[in-house]
């Protein structure tokens, strides 16, 4: 059974800092991995999607890497801003239905 | 991309009653997913709904408690039946488009 864990559970950084969020999964037979952000009272916004054959994806100040063999992914946020404050969730999909298995989330607070 | 709306956005209900949540997508999609996010927890998949067939439920979720309708390719409903305080959660619908999952804003349910 696939299990997804995220470390740390919560993180507080001053504005401008670079930071790394970690995601690990137990079954390396995944189809893809996605990073989402969730703002209070709102749904999820997809940030980056990495296919199982890819090593990383970049979008603006965000960079996500995937090491499928070790069951790990990292989300790197450069020059953090207060607007980056949210819960970040990673999710892996696999199998015929591509259903997502979500991690436990990292609550990020960027202090101005 | 896909734009998803949900109704209601939030509700407060009495135990023993039922609530039907609606999910509308701006494009035709094959699969729709219903997730639950309990307070302080990550997302858990309830069921996958394909148009024209019975929904497929995940372990721990049953049709009598969470009946789902999928009358066409842009719409689905999830009913939370005979509610108890343990059903207090955010319920989100999701669709897959071009390998990315898009989520609705969620329905925040509180059961007294």
């Amino acid at each position: 059974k696939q299990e997804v864990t995220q470390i740390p559970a919560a993180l507080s950084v001053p504005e401008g800092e670079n930071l790394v969020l970690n995601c690990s999964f137990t079954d390396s037979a995944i189809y893809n991995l996605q990073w989402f952000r969730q703002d209070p009272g709102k749904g999820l916004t997809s940030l980056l999607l990495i296919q199982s054959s890819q090593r990383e994806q970049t979008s603006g100040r965000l960079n996500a890497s995937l090491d499928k063999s070790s069951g790990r992914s990292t989300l790197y946020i450069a020059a953090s801003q207060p607007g980056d404050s949210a819960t970040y969730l990673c999710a892996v999909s696999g199998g015929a239905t591509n259903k997502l298995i979500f991690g436990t989330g990292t609550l990020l607070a960027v202090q101005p | 991309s896909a734009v998803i709306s949900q109704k209601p956005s939030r509700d407060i209900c009495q135990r023993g009653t039922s609530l039907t949540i609606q999910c509308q997508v701006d494009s035709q999609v094959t699969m729709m997913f219903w997730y639950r996010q309990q307070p302080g927890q990550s997302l858990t998949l309830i069921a996958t709904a394909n148009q024209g067939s019975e929904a497929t439920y995940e372990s721990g979720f049953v049709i009598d408690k969470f009946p789902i309708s999928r009358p066409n390719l842009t719409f689905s409903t999830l009913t939370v039946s005979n509610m108890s305080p343990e059903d207090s959660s955010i319920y989100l619908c999701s669709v897959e488009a071009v390998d990315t999952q898009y989520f609705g804003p969620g329905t925040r349910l509180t059961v007294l």
Side-chain angles (χ1 to χ4, degrees):
Chain A
K1 176 186 173 185
Q2 179 74 272
E3 293 184 1
V4 184
T5 306
Q6 291 183 244
I7 295 173
L11 181 64
S12 180
V13 300
E15 181 177 3
E17 236 181 57
N18 303 325
L19 58 100
V20 175
L21 307 181
N22 297 290
C23 172
S24 61
F25 46 95
T26 54
D27 186 350
S28 62
I30 64 170
Y31 183 67
N32 61 42
L33 182 145
Q34 279 187 254
W35 283 93
F36 296 87
R37 70 173 279 167
Q38 184 177 30
D39 295 280
K42 298 183 180 180
L44 277 67
T45 302
S46 180
L47 298 173
L48 289 165
L49 168 73
I50 310 177
Q51 300 287 357
S52 62
S53 58
Q54 298 175 322
R55 298 285 293 186
E56 67 176 341
Q57 283 287 333
T58 298
S59 176
R61 294 182 293 108
L62 305 180
N63 175 275
S65 68
L66 174 63
D67 184 343
K68 205 172 74 162
S69 61
S70 68
R72 294 181 181 178
S73 176
T74 61
L75 179 66
Y76 175 83
I77 302 177
S80 58
Q81 303 172 356
D84 295 330
S85 299
T87 296
Y88 289 80
L89 297 163
C90 73
V92 299
S93 72
T97 61
N98 277 345
K99 65 182 183 183
L100 290 177
I101 307 296
F102 279 85
T104 47
T106 294
L107 177 61
L108 172 65
V110 181
Q111 308 298 331
Chain B
S1 67
V3 178
I4 304 170
S5 60
Q6 285 185 234
K7 290 182 182 179
S9 59
R10 59 177 61 226
D11 207 341
I12 300 173
C13 301
Q14 298 296 321
R15 71 168 65 215
T17 63
S18 297
L19 175 72
T20 295
I21 302 168
Q22 299 179 7
C23 177
Q24 180 76 51
V25 189
D26 69 343
S27 57
Q28 294 184 339
V29 293
T30 302
M31 289 196 288
M32 296 180 76
F33 306 89
W34 285 98
Y35 288 85
R36 180 176 74 180
Q37 186 176 28
Q38 294 178 299
Q41 304 293 316
S42 192
L43 280 76
T44 301
L45 181 64
I46 297 172
T48 303
N50 290 337
Q51 195 269 334
S53 63
E54 293 287 328
T56 302
Y57 289 82
E58 297 300 306
S59 176
F61 298 96
V62 295
I63 188 171
D64 289 345
K65 176 67 175 177
F66 298 102
I68 289 171
S69 77
R70 183 77 203 276
N72 58 51
L73 292 173
T74 63
F75 187 79
S76 178
T77 67
L78 169 76
T79 299
V80 186
S81 303
N82 188 25
M83 289 183 286
S84 66
E86 291 71 35
D87 294 321
S88 297
S89 298
I90 299 174
Y91 293 85
L92 300 102
C93 72
S94 166
V95 304
E96 184 181 84
V98 197
D99 282 342
T100 300
Q101 283 211 3
Y102 297 90
F103 284 80
T107 295
R108 183 179 293 272
L109 171 62
T110 301
V111 184
L112 304 178

